[in-house]
Structures are given as C-alpha cells and as structure tokens.
Amino acid sequence: MKISTWDEARDLGLKEAEKRLGISIEKYWIDSIRLEPRNKGGYWTVRLDLQVRKSLGRKNLIHVSMKINPSTGEITDFHAEER
C-alpha cells in the first residue's frame, strides 16, 4: 500500500492506533504529519493526540507517534504515552 498524501498517512495512523491500543477514538488532534527527506530516511512521521473514553464517562488523552514507510505502508516505529 503506497502512502502518497498527508490524508492517507493520517488515516493509516488512526487505524494503527486503534488496532495496537485496542481502543475506540472519540476525537483526535494532529500534532504533526510530515514526510522526511529521503536523506533522513524518507518516511512519514505522524504524531497525534487521541481522546478516548476510559470508564464511567472519564476521558483520557493519549499521544501517539509513528513512522510509516511511504512505499509499503509499514509502521516501523510506534510509541504511545498517556497524558
């Protein structure tokens, strides 16, 4: 799967976060999405803040960051941190 646009990188990042964290995302905010130059690896860097429901109506914010190979759509690096 080739990732050639900013929107495709965002959508893949959201799907991957839901899958890896096992959560349903209520809202999200984009911290940054950028395509690194080829001499620095040539990958998409996606950083998102996700609002998720924890329990009893309480909501948590999770910051996720990942690197996506633009040729294959493979996630090479994934980090999640609760805030």
Side-chain angles (χ1 to χ4, degrees), residues 34-80:
R34 66 181 184 272
L35 181 60
E36 297 291 337
R38 194 166 293 281
N39 63 354
K40 291 188 177 184
Y43 50 81
W44 285 99
T45 300
V46 178
R47 293 185 177 137
L48 304 167
D49 289 319
L50 311 174
Q51 180 180 325
V52 299
R53 184 175 305 278
K54 184 151 181 160
S55 64
L56 300 173
R58 293 184 356 184
K59 298 176 183 175
N60 281 9
L61 189 65
I62 300 174
H63 180 77
V64 296
S65 63
M66 64 196 81
K67 294 179 183 175
I68 303 172
N69 183 319
S71 304
T72 63
E74 179 184 357
I75 308 296
T76 56
D77 193 14
F78 184 91
H79 296 283

Side-chain angles (χ1 to χ4, degrees), residues 23-45:
I23 57 169
S24 178
I25 299 169
E26 290 190 2
K27 289 183 182 180
Y28 68 90
W29 295 269
I30 298 167
D31 185 350
S32 66
I33 298 176
R34 66 181 184 272
L35 181 60
E36 297 291 337
R38 194 166 293 281
N39 63 354
K40 291 188 177 184
Y43 50 81
W44 285 99
T45 300

